Amino acid sequence: MPPAFTRLLPLSLLLLAATCQQRKPATVVATSPASMKQLEGTWLSSREEDHGDSLVYRPNTYKFPPSRGRTGFAIKPFGRFEQFDIAPTDGLAGRPGTWTADGPTRLRIHLTEGQEPDYTLEILSMEKQVLKLRRL
């Protein structure tokens, strides 16, 4: 082998290894009582951070940039849920519902008004007050 090749081979392998990333599973398991406690609270859309079908939510106490309104939801104890939609006056209109665990990383949402079909939220990750979901 030429000397230049033998010097570059270790560097090339190091760079290749650094760029390989294993996809991590969701860090929250919805059926665990401790993880559900982490999910409890009011979450608002941080649509500036969305990527593809991955939706990003942050606690309602987060300092969001100015916006004409943000949708969101509240996960409450004992299976209670509230979806927040933008109201005609640019505020939030709450719609009550329920949630149930649908596997280890999914929540099945049922809005009690019945105007919208049930849907599932897949928890992709929850780290440092950032909740990433996919709506199925």
Side-chain angles (χ1 to χ4, degrees):
M1 280 188 242
F5 179 76
T6 56
R7 283 183 291 183
L8 291 177
L9 183 60
L11 178 61
S12 299
L13 291 175
L14 182 63
L15 289 173
L16 181 61
T19 59
C20 293
Q21 294 180 357
Q22 184 177 9
R23 185 175 180 187
K24 293 192 282 185
T27 56
V28 174
V29 178
T31 55
S32 149
S35 64
M36 282 313 304
K37 202 71 174 156
Q38 288 180 316
L39 289 173
E40 285 179 9
T42 301
W43 298 90
L44 297 178
S45 173
S46 184
R47 63 183 167 275
E48 301 87 353
E49 299 177 86
D50 291 351
H51 293 291
D53 63 350
S54 176
L55 307 173
V56 177
Y57 290 84
R58 291 186 175 268
N60 63 331
T61 56
Y62 180 75
K63 294 277 189 188
F64 289 100
S67 174
R68 291 193 151 235
R70 292 186 183 274
T71 59
F73 55 86
I75 296 176
K76 301 176 182 184
F78 309 111
R80 293 177 297 135
F81 183 87
E82 188 170 5
Q83 179 173 300
F84 299 113
D85 300 317
I86 299 173
T89 59
D90 286 339
L92 291 177
R95 295 176 30 193
T98 59
W99 65 264
T100 54
D102 184 18
T105 59
R106 293 182 178 188
L107 298 177
R108 184 87 174 142
I109 307 301
H110 170 76
L111 298 177
T112 54
E113 296 170 353
Q115 297 172 349
E116 187 176 323
D118 292 359
Y119 60 93
T120 299
L121 296 175
E122 180 181 18
I123 302 164
L124 302 175
S125 68
M126 182 179 164
E127 299 171 357
K128 299 179 185 172
Q129 298 294 304
V130 177
L131 177 60
K132 293 183 182 179
L133 304 171
R134 180 178 299 126
R135 184 172 168 160
L136 307 175

